[in-house]
Amino acid sequence: GESVGLHLPTLSVQEGDNSIINCAYSNSASDYFIWYKQESGKGPQFIIDIRSNMDKRQGQRVTVLLNKTVKHLSLQIAATQPGDSAVYFCAENIGGNQFYFGTGTSLTVIP
Amino acid sequence: EAGVAQSPRYKIIEKRQSVAFWCNPISGHATLYWYQQILGQGPKLLIQFQNNGVVDDSQLPKDRFSAERLKGVDSTLKIQPAKLEDSAVYLCASSLSGSDTEAFFGQGTRLTVV
């Protein structure tokens, strides 16, 4: 499944499928980006980060892609599990370690 | 390693009352942030401290909101007087100093103004 964060804030995927969550950021000077996961009643939790001198970074089951030309980030989750159900935010660092968050995408994993 | 601690977890007040939130960042983290998260939205940065100095408070409604970090460790955020639209989760986060370091978040304080 795939979403555009600002226009389709809800994404539903079958357990075991891959998920793609998209984010458009606003500031071309942003040089550091983080994907956060937020479960109900909890604060955002770090998933993966990427610096502007990279276009791809992989973690455990997650991959972040950065396209600076169109100011676009995506988060790919492989073999999505029920525990992945949450709201996902991209955050951009505009400098001075100040993080600005996008609208978020709610991911629901269907068992 | 202990995370970012916030209290209280929940608070309900009437409009025009005052309220204060407390945050204890991760030990050694020089940078502390307060964010406001309205239901269904992403966190919005209110204020950023570096040690006991304010780095940015451009989005803090200073007519009613104030924050301090007097000794460069704990921080309090106060709202006086509260309005209905202040109902939100107030998140505290901290990070090591320097650029490109992740921010760690507390669980937040859910404020309801009635």
Side-chain angles (χ1 to χ4, degrees), chain A residues 33-45:
Chain A
F33 305 87
I34 298 178
W35 278 101
Y36 281 94
K37 171 186 180 183
Q38 188 174 28
E39 296 174 283
S40 180
K42 297 184 179 180
Q45 177 186 8

Side-chain angles (χ1 to χ4, degrees), chain A:
Chain A
E2 183 171 345
S3 83
V4 175
L6 293 177
H7 302 289
L8 293 172
T10 302
L11 175 65
S12 295
V13 299
Q14 289 291 140
E15 181 178 359
D17 287 352
N18 297 332
S19 302
I20 300 175
I21 300 171
N22 296 297
C23 174
Y25 64 92
S26 58
N27 194 324
S28 57
S30 296
D31 58 3
Y32 178 54
F33 305 87
I34 298 178
W35 278 101
Y36 281 94
K37 171 186 180 183
Q38 188 174 28
E39 296 174 283
S40 180
K42 297 184 179 180
Q45 177 186 8
F46 173 93
I47 301 174
I48 191 167
D49 59 0
I50 189 167
R51 289 171 172 74
S52 58
N53 61 352
M54 305 171 67
D55 54 19
K56 180 179 180 179
R57 189 159 190 231
Q58 289 184 294
Q60 186 178 17
R61 285 201 306 119
V62 294
T63 300
V64 54
L65 300 178
L66 173 62
N67 185 330
K68 294 182 290 293
T69 303
V70 295
K71 293 189 289 186
H72 183 269
L73 276 167
S74 69
L75 176 70
Q76 301 176 4
I77 304 174
T80 313
Q81 302 169 359
D84 295 327
S85 293
V87 177
Y88 289 80
F89 294 98
C90 66
E92 60 181 305
N93 180 358
I94 64 167
N97 235 40
Q98 292 180 26
F99 293 97
Y100 287 85
F101 283 73
T103 304
T105 297
S106 177
L107 174 66
T108 300
V109 181
I110 304 165

Side-chain angles (χ1 to χ4, degrees), chain B residues 60-102:
Chain B
L60 187 74
K62 298 179 187 64
D63 58 334
R64 297 184 300 106
F65 286 63
S66 64
E68 60 183 15
R69 194 185 184 199
L70 294 176
K71 297 182 179 179
V73 180
D74 294 6
S75 177
T76 55
L77 175 69
K78 297 179 182 177
I79 308 174
Q80 181 179 12
K83 294 184 175 181
L84 296 177
E85 58 260 38
D86 298 331
S87 294
V89 175
Y90 290 85
L91 294 161
C92 180
S94 68
S95 70
L96 293 167
S97 60
S99 60
D100 297 357
T101 57
E102 68 176 277

